[in-house]
Amino acid sequence: MVFSSNVFLFLFLPVFLGLYYLSGNRYRNLLLLVASYIFYAWWRVDFLALFAGVTLWNYWIGLKVGAAGVRTKPAQRWLLLGVGVDLAILGYFKYANFGVDSLNAIITSFGLEPFILTHVLLPIGISFYIFESISYIIDVYRGDTPATRNLIDFAAFVAIFPHLIAGPVLRFKDLVDQFNNRTHTLDKFSEGCTRFMQGFIKKVFIADTLAVVADHCFALQNPTTGDAWLGALAYTAQLYFDFSGYSDMAIGLGLMMGFRFMENFKQPYISQSITEFWRRWHISLSTWLRDYLYITLGGNRKGTFATYRNLFLTMLLGGLWHGANFTYIIWGAWHGMWLAIERALGIDTNPQRFNPVKWAFTFLLVVVGWVIFRAENLEVAGRMYGAMFSFGQWQLSELNRAQLTGLQVATLIVAYLTLAFFGLRDFYRNATPPAAPRIPAQVHGDGTLSLDWTRVMTRALVLLLFVASILKLSAQSYSPFLYFQF
């Protein structure tokens, strides 16, 4: 089941919210757990057993680590066992096919018979719930959170359906208080509805329209320079609006249930360095990699060379986390290399002034990286790069012109105008002192009511676009979120 589907919008969500608010506080976490398992089982019932098994395993390991004591040797052994099993499960389901295929490519070159392995199906969302489970037992070991004895709360944390399939990557220590005591107000519910609708519009109106352009350009056998750059720019916008749209919907759904999740995107395409980009893009994953991988490797505590090595390895493994393909490994190495270079050069990664040259160079690096991230294999990536940097024919090929529609061109323009407007607004807003909060409605002493008409009109426009998005969704074919594959 996906958020951008009529089944979710008109059946699952209203039924769940109705039961959720009719039930008492004592039963809401249990209801959330049951609903999340139904949401997950809608895809495949058989993998629900694996999901529940991973949850029970890490719950038990957390108890063992907690009983052994913070940072003790026995606790460390339990931690290593827990992380080892988690990574073994992730490794088998996510990398077994890739490993066997790579090995077969080597041994067949020597004339030997290849190994036969039944194709392993990747369970949806496994990367996210494995990472969240690992972070929990590490936090218990470090003493950042006590081991919970409430299995329902822990299972609901791992399974909570708003973020289950594609993040944000949450941490138990950040949500444990909200599981025990969270507020439910009309303002929070209204904020959640608005946020959900914003994400839905991003996905259905912009990302799904640009997906057709990107898919067609990357499928061309002989793309021109214009074709390749069009495909790269279309995918750059598609990925942001798709993934940030999902994150908006997840955060909005959380608010409807009284939870407040961390932000996952902060206008990343306004960044003036790759380091700043990773502070703004997929923030929950980048902070996870920093706290549980980079710091574990030694961070910047073991000298200059070790710092550069740790930056590079962290991003290399971050690329591998996205999928079992050499394209993801190279993409991670690309970003790791630039993080190390920026640190070596002492680049200002928290600029107070907007420098168009630094921004343009950073954006170019990001777009170039997205090409190999999107490509099915190295051959497709090489074909796209060859066309992009041959600087030959800038006109679109006849095949591309025949497929491209006016709506797609207009959507691409609107997407980048939107990125520019909100990116620059975010940059200059953070560079100046915050203004006093605006109140949407206020009752004065004489009984009169004043409204913030700007906010009212904005929410009315969001609602109108949301309705239009539902109509568009009903008319188009199924389009899953891009990060479902990870």
Side-chain angles (χ1 to χ4, degrees):
M1 193 184 305
V2 297
F3 298 158
S4 54
S5 68
N6 289 326
V7 172
F8 179 82
L9 290 173
F10 300 114
L11 178 61
F12 180 88
L13 184 60
V15 170
F16 167 75
L17 288 176
L19 293 174
Y20 182 82
Y21 277 98
L22 287 174
S23 62
N25 290 330
R26 181 179 178 183
Y27 299 104
R28 281 177 176 167
N29 291 344
L30 176 60
L31 176 64
L32 177 58
L33 173 61
V34 172
S36 298
Y37 278 176
I38 294 173
F39 179 87
Y40 191 84
W42 199 273
W43 171 66
R44 282 184 68 107
V45 175
D46 51 345
F47 278 116
L48 182 60
L50 173 68
F51 186 24
V54 168
T55 300
L56 289 171
W57 168 255
N58 286 278
Y59 170 75
W60 181 70
I61 288 292
L63 292 176
K64 291 295 184 181
V65 172
V70 174
R71 295 184 182 272
T72 62
K73 284 293 182 182
Q76 186 181 61
R77 288 193 289 270
W78 283 112
L79 174 65
L80 292 175
L81 176 63
V83 172
V85 171
D86 286 336
L87 292 180
I89 294 171
L90 181 63
Y92 172 74
F93 283 100
K94 194 159 188 174
Y95 305 107
N97 296 324
F98 174 68
V100 171
D101 291 344
S102 300
L103 180 61
N104 284 341
I106 296 173
I107 64 177
T108 53
S109 65
F110 291 99
L112 301 175
E113 289 295 320
F115 288 102
I116 303 298
L117 175 70
T118 303
H119 183 77
V120 178
L121 184 65
L122 179 65
I124 196 168
I126 188 171
S127 298
F128 289 94
Y129 69 72
I130 287 288
F131 265 32
E132 288 167 347
S133 299
I134 289 175
S135 70
Y136 165 69
I137 57 178
I138 291 177
D139 286 341
V140 173
Y141 170 76
R142 291 175 175 176
D144 293 333
T145 188
T148 181
R149 294 188 174 276
N150 191 321
L151 177 58
I152 299 299
D153 285 1
F154 178 72
F157 155 73
V158 178
I160 184 170
F161 72 85
H163 81 105
L164 173 59
I165 307 300
V169 183
L170 304 178
R171 307 185 197 187
F172 185 75
K173 66 177 183 180
D174 297 331
L175 289 181
V176 61
D177 290 339
Q178 296 186 59
F179 272 102
N180 295 328
N181 183 27
R182 56 186 179 273
T183 58
H184 303 84
T185 65
L186 183 60
D187 285 343
K188 185 180 282 189
F189 189 88
S190 174
E191 181 187 352
C193 290
T194 303
R195 191 68 180 270
F196 179 87
M197 290 188 289
Q198 289 173 344
F200 192 91
I201 293 165
K202 283 183 178 181
K203 163 65 177 171
V204 176
F205 255 146
I206 299 181
D208 286 354
T209 302
L210 297 181
V212 180
V213 181
D215 291 347
H216 180 72
C217 290
F218 274 83
L220 292 172
Q221 294 301 310
N222 296 294
T224 66
T225 298
D227 293 333
W229 278 103
L230 174 63
L233 291 173
Y235 182 71
T236 297
Q238 177 204 351
L239 182 60
Y240 170 75
F241 283 100
D242 189 284
F243 192 21
S244 70
Y246 180 95
S247 295
D248 286 343
M249 284 188 269
I251 292 169
L253 289 169
L255 286 167
M256 293 182 204
M257 295 181 284
F259 292 96
R260 190 170 292 277
F261 300 156
M262 70 178 299
E263 292 294 333
N264 211 23
F265 290 88
K266 291 183 179 179
Q267 305 301 329
Y269 290 153
I270 202 65
S271 303
Q272 298 179 59
S273 67
I274 293 298
T275 304
E276 184 186 359
F277 173 79
W278 279 103
R279 290 175 183 163
R280 293 173 174 269
W281 176 274
H282 203 344
I283 300 169
S284 62
L285 176 63
S286 60
T287 53
W288 195 100
L289 292 172
R290 179 197 65 198
D291 294 345
Y292 300 106
L293 185 56
Y294 176 70
I295 291 176
T296 301
L297 289 171
N300 59 359
R301 303 187 302 273
K302 297 182 179 180
T304 303
F305 174 78
T307 299
Y308 301 151
R309 178 203 64 198
N310 295 338
L311 283 170
F312 183 80
L313 286 177
T314 298
M315 291 310 302
L316 187 71
L317 294 171
L320 185 62
W321 173 86
H322 282 84
N325 196 322
F326 286 114
T327 57
Y328 295 125
I329 297 173
I330 295 172
W331 172 79
W334 171 256
H335 278 268
M337 178 185 72
W338 283 106
L339 288 176
I341 290 173
E342 289 176 357
R343 190 175 184 91
L345 295 177
I347 299 294
D348 180 10
T349 59
N350 189 26
Q352 300 302 308
R353 298 179 59 186
F354 183 72
N355 187 317
V357 175
K358 289 183 178 180
W359 165 80
F361 183 67
T362 301
F363 187 69
L364 174 64
L365 296 180
V366 171
V367 172
V368 169
W370 285 142
V371 170
I372 198 165
F373 186 87
R374 164 61 178 77
E376 291 87 352
N377 51 53
L378 296 179
E379 180 184 352
V380 174
R383 186 165 65 231
M384 290 291 288
Y385 285 135
M388 288 172 67
F389 296 105
S390 66
F391 302 113
Q393 185 180 354
W394 283 97
Q395 287 186 337
L396 301 179
S397 62
E398 282 189 29
L399 188 59
N400 210 356
R401 288 200 300 270
Q403 295 285 334
L404 197 63
T405 67
L407 175 62
Q408 292 166 351
V409 173
T411 302
L412 185 62
I413 293 171
V414 168
Y416 276 97
L417 288 176
T418 302
L419 290 171
F421 174 79
F422 286 101
L424 289 171
R425 188 190 71 166
D426 179 80
F427 180 85
Y428 287 111
R429 177 178 289 176
N430 291 335
T432 56
R438 301 172 68 182
I439 302 173
Q442 185 175 10
V443 179
H444 299 288
D446 58 0
T448 59
L449 176 69
S450 65
L451 297 175
D452 179 355
W453 285 105
T454 301
R455 179 170 294 187
V456 171
M457 293 301 293
T458 299
R459 293 193 173 184
L461 178 60
V462 168
L463 179 60
L464 181 64
L465 290 174
F466 177 66
V467 173
S469 298
I470 293 176
L471 296 176
K472 182 177 184 295
L473 173 70
S474 301
Q476 72 183 22
S477 59
Y478 171 70
S479 176
F481 290 90
L482 291 174
Y483 259 66
F484 279 15
Q485 62 188 299
F486 306 133

